[in-house]
Amino acid sequence: MLKTRLDLDRIRTARGVIDPVFLNTPLFRCEALGRALGCAVDIKLETANPVRSFKARGTELVASRLADQGRAAVVCASAGNLGSALAWSGRRRGLDVTVVASRRAPAAKLDRIRALGATLELVDGDFEAARKRAAGIAQQRGIRLVEDSLDIETCEGAATIGVELARRASSFDVVLIALGGGAMATGVGHVLKALAPGVEVICVQPQGAPAMTRSWHQRRVVTTDSTDTIADGVAGRFPIPAVLDDLLLVADDAVLVQEASIVAGMRMLLEHAGLVVEPSAALGVAAVLEDPARFAGRRVVTIVCGSNVNLDDYHRWVGP
Amino acid sequence: MLKTRLDLDRIRTARGVIDPVFLNTPLFRCEALGRALGCAVDIKLETANPVRSFKARGTELVASRLADQGRAAVVCASAGNLGSALAWSGRRRGLDVTVVASRRAPAAKLDRIRALGATLELVDGDFEAARKRAAGIAQQRGIRLVEDSLDIETCEGAATIGVELARRASSFDVVLIALGGGAMATGVGHVLKALAPGVEVICVQPQGAPAMTRSWHQRRVVTTDSTDTIADGVAGRFPIPAVLDDLLLVADDAVLVQEASIVAGMRMLLEHAGLVVEPSAALGVAAVLEDPARFAGRRVVTIVCGSNVNLDDYHRWVGP
């Protein structure tokens, strides 16, 4: 038995609560991408849904629980995707949703949060500043604060991806997971270690936002003073101790990749798979690009976790 | 009872034969696209699979039948997507696959056919020239010729999309279907007319390749001397009489759209849904753009049927 905070039965039960539009997402071999990378690559596509990221798997659980409890309001800090997802899940259940985000977050993400009817509050500073402000709002108004990766629903929601992968585990050797706060990595990792322990679980983070990866290697929380990456969705500085504890139990490795590899990964996903993705979603491909020998001839799954990106940023990075 | 060549029981049985990677594709509301178009838009996404189009639903049936019969080889003419799909389905079953295509077909499509191990023969002229050559090869070698839209497997394979749509038919009013040879339109149309007769079935074709649409309106086969459209996947000149007969029974309307609208549709699918699609997949959006009053406030499904496009063509059409 894995001693993480997650529980396989609760994860399976969660699948009955999440709107099916977010479940059973495509998992398919992309031969063109595999040829270019020198390994077999399966894409787990988490962008073909109303919020264009995997985050609603978790917010569906949060919002459903709040509605059951008769609660009326909820607040979260977000780099963007959690906010959109919570806005979507909350609107469906009549919840008053407040999202706090950094003024520097991509306009595409901020626009979608507003369009979904949430109250959006912008703060100066980065995601960590938004976290503080959201906590203040929660305390002041006496409403639920959703903390990504700390709150178990966010991890168990992401873990439902793992359930879908585990069903097909005989067809791959490695799963590459974008690492930010750690909800997806601990969630998917927990399920795979429980149901398919032979699958290698590798977390991937940008060198420009390495706090959780450094923490995993040093087996203690390591923070950073700043972040510098285009992968806005995974750019945290303060790893959460409980999440790190879980990650230490379920991840086989955590690697850092350069910005140039993230951009190259985005370009390859466009050229070989026809997918426009946000930088965080290209971390897996970037990891293969940086260490081809490690993956040569192996069967790799990469989770394409979001596609919310400003198109002009995208074109500037990836080219026409 | 609808008197088409299709049969609902056979279509349901077909779902058990088709590789699940092609089934139960995403169907999701894209609010951003809907806001831009003035109606609610659901996307049925047929591109997140190993061949990036819906065509494998049909070729899975063809190849499975041939394997059951102990046949060793098969040939088809293709604008590109049928060829890739048949190559994929045939390779899995050890079939020797030959694809005949026009030299003018997009390199992206031709490259994928070759990469999947099929023998690719290129002909001068258009798709109709490829059809003739494929028929010649079939006769000469005594092997099965797969004729898109005429062969019932291609229609019943496409019809499995209709089964998936019919389950959610209470959530939409109209389905927009790209119209080429007619396999998708007659297949999806048959199922919807049988299971959800309240849903309006509208076929969309480019003005530059209007043969089937003109035939539908005149209730007799009308051919054209040439085609002139970027929507290479639907550019036929000789409608098949039996397919037209079926289409007359299941389509509520068939409309033509301009090239500029197809490009605008591709651009909107990129901007609002993050999807890179081939021109044929934007026909539904183009139809809404050309007649917004018809769709205003209604709930529309558009089937995004393929994403095999040369990226340099794409950028030239859609812009950076």
Side-chain angles (χ1 to χ4, degrees):
Chain A
M1 271 297 279
L2 281 166
K3 299 283 188 194
T4 77
R5 298 175 303 139
L6 284 84
D7 178 85
L8 206 53
D9 286 335
R10 280 206 313 267
I11 294 163
R12 288 185 172 127
T13 304
R15 293 179 60 82
V17 175
I18 299 168
D19 188 303
V21 78
F22 300 108
L23 297 175
N24 299 315
T25 52
L27 174 63
F28 59 100
R29 177 72 43 94
C30 180
E31 293 187 25
L33 185 57
R35 264 192 304 278
L37 289 171
C39 54
V41 178
D42 282 8
I43 290 172
K44 179 69 172 165
L45 191 70
E46 293 295 314
T47 62
N49 65 50
V51 301
R52 296 171 58 172
S53 85
F54 75 97
K55 294 275 186 183
R57 294 179 184 251
T59 58
E60 283 288 284
L61 301 180
V62 169
S64 160
R65 183 160 304 174
L66 287 172
D68 289 348
Q69 294 167 343
R71 306 288 290 272
V74 59
V75 60
C76 74
S78 173
N81 285 341
L82 182 75
S84 289
L86 188 61
W88 193 93
S89 295
R91 184 182 66 177
R92 261 184 92 208
R93 295 167 178 92
L95 296 173
D96 171 21
V97 176
T98 301
V99 178
V100 187
S102 163
R103 216 174 287 284
R104 304 177 215 154
K109 293 185 177 179
L110 301 179
D111 289 346
R112 281 180 199 123
I113 293 168
R114 288 190 196 95
L116 286 161
T119 301
L120 177 65
E121 183 171 324
L122 297 179
V123 297
D124 296 322
D126 66 1
F127 174 67
E128 305 298 352
R131 265 168 84 172
K132 275 189 202 152
R133 175 63 188 143
I137 291 172
Q139 193 165 35
Q140 193 181 354
R141 293 178 54 192
I143 61 176
R144 164 83 188 264
L145 171 67
V146 180
E147 292 198 75
D148 205 353
S149 303
L150 178 60
D151 289 3
I152 201 70
E153 300 99 325
T154 64
C155 302
E156 293 187 337
T160 60
I161 300 172
V163 174
E164 296 165 25
L165 292 177
R167 283 186 204 137
R168 303 262 298 275
S170 64
S171 69
F172 54 85
D173 310 305
V174 187
V175 175
L176 297 168
I177 310 177
L179 179 61
M184 185 159 61
T186 56
V188 173
H190 178 95
V191 174
L192 289 176
K193 286 303 157 197
L195 299 180
V199 172
E200 190 178 7
V201 173
I202 303 179
C203 306
V204 190
Q205 205 164 37
Q207 282 190 339
M212 187 55 118
T213 296
R214 285 191 192 157
S215 301
W216 186 87
H217 282 280
Q218 298 185 28
R219 305 186 69 85
R220 63 177 181 86
V221 169
V222 178
T223 61
T224 62
D225 292 335
S226 62
T227 62
D228 183 15
T229 177
I230 61 169
D232 57 284
V234 294
R237 297 188 286 119
F238 298 122
I240 298 167
V243 183
L244 174 59
D245 289 344
D246 289 349
L247 196 66
L248 286 165
L249 294 171
V250 302
D252 294 299
D253 200 359
V255 301
L256 297 174
V257 294
Q258 300 173 33
E259 295 296 290
S261 305
I262 298 172
V263 169
M266 294 171 78
R267 189 175 295 122
M268 292 179 85
L269 283 162
L270 173 65
E271 285 182 2
H272 300 295
L275 296 173
V276 172
V277 305
E278 60 181 274
S280 307
L283 286 166
V285 175
V288 179
L289 283 171
E290 292 206 0
D291 195 355
R294 178 175 189 170
F295 301 99
R298 299 179 76 194
R299 299 169 305 166
V300 176
V301 171
T302 185
I303 303 174
V304 171
C305 53
S307 71
N308 289 303
V309 57
N310 287 343
L311 271 184
D312 33 356
D313 290 338
Y314 183 85
H315 290 306
R316 198 173 62 247
W317 297 326
V318 171
Chain B
M1 271 296 280
L2 281 167
K3 299 284 190 195
T4 75
R5 298 175 302 140
L6 284 84
D7 177 84
L8 207 51
D9 286 336
R10 279 205 314 265
I11 294 164
R12 287 183 172 129
T13 304
R15 292 178 62 80
V17 175
I18 299 168
D19 188 301
V21 78
F22 300 108
L23 297 175
N24 300 313
T25 52
L27 174 63
F28 59 100
R29 177 71 44 94
C30 180
E31 293 187 24
L33 185 57
R35 266 192 303 279
L37 289 171
C39 53
V41 178
D42 282 9
I43 289 171
K44 179 68 172 166
L45 191 69
E46 293 295 314
T47 62
N49 66 50
V51 301
R52 296 170 60 172
S53 86
F54 75 98
K55 295 275 186 182
R57 294 180 185 251
T59 58
E60 283 287 285
L61 302 180
V62 169
S64 160
R65 183 160 306 173
L66 287 172
D68 289 348
Q69 294 168 343
R71 307 287 291 271
V74 59
V75 60
C76 74
S78 173
N81 285 341
L82 182 74
S84 289
L86 188 61
W88 193 93
S89 295
R91 184 183 64 177
R92 261 184 92 209
R93 294 167 178 91
L95 297 171
D96 171 20
V97 176
T98 300
V99 178
V100 186
S102 163
R103 215 173 288 284
R104 303 178 215 153
K109 293 184 176 179
L110 300 179
D111 289 346
R112 280 179 201 124
I113 293 167
R114 287 190 198 96
L116 286 160
T119 301
L120 177 64
E121 183 171 323
L122 297 178
V123 296
D124 296 322
D126 67 2
F127 174 67
E128 305 298 353
R131 267 167 83 172
K132 275 188 202 151
R133 175 65 187 141
I137 290 172
Q139 194 165 34
Q140 194 181 352
R141 293 179 53 192
I143 61 175
R144 163 83 188 265
L145 171 68
V146 180
E147 292 199 75
D148 206 355
S149 302
L150 177 61
D151 289 3
I152 200 68
E153 300 100 325
T154 64
C155 302
E156 292 187 338
T160 60
I161 300 172
V163 174
E164 295 164 26
L165 291 176
R167 283 185 205 138
R168 304 262 298 277
S170 64
S171 69
F172 54 85
D173 309 306
V174 187
V175 175
L176 298 168
I177 310 176
L179 179 61
M184 185 160 60
T186 55
V188 174
H190 178 95
V191 175
L192 290 175
K193 287 303 156 196
L195 299 180
V199 172
E200 190 178 7
V201 173
I202 304 180
C203 305
V204 190
Q205 205 163 38
Q207 282 190 338
M212 187 56 118
T213 296
R214 285 190 191 158
S215 300
W216 187 87
H217 283 280
Q218 299 186 28
R219 304 186 68 84
R220 63 177 181 86
V221 169
V222 178
T223 62
T224 61
D225 291 334
S226 61
T227 62
D228 184 15
T229 177
I230 60 170
D232 57 283
V234 294
R237 296 189 285 121
F238 299 121
I240 298 167
V243 183
L244 173 60
D245 288 345
D246 289 349
L247 197 66
L248 285 166
L249 294 170
V250 302
D252 294 299
D253 201 359
V255 302
L256 297 175
V257 294
Q258 299 173 32
E259 295 296 291
S261 306
I262 298 172
V263 169
M266 294 171 77
R267 189 176 295 121
M268 291 179 84
L269 282 162
L270 174 65
E271 285 183 1
H272 300 296
L275 296 173
V276 172
V277 305
E278 61 181 273
S280 307
L283 287 166
V285 175
V288 179
L289 283 170
E290 293 206 0
D291 194 357
R294 177 175 189 169
F295 300 99
R298 301 178 75 193
R299 300 170 305 168
V300 176
V301 172
T302 184
I303 303 173
V304 171
C305 52
S307 71
N308 290 303
V309 58
N310 287 342
L311 271 183
D312 34 356
D313 290 338
Y314 184 86
H315 290 306
R316 199 173 63 246
W317 296 325
V318 171

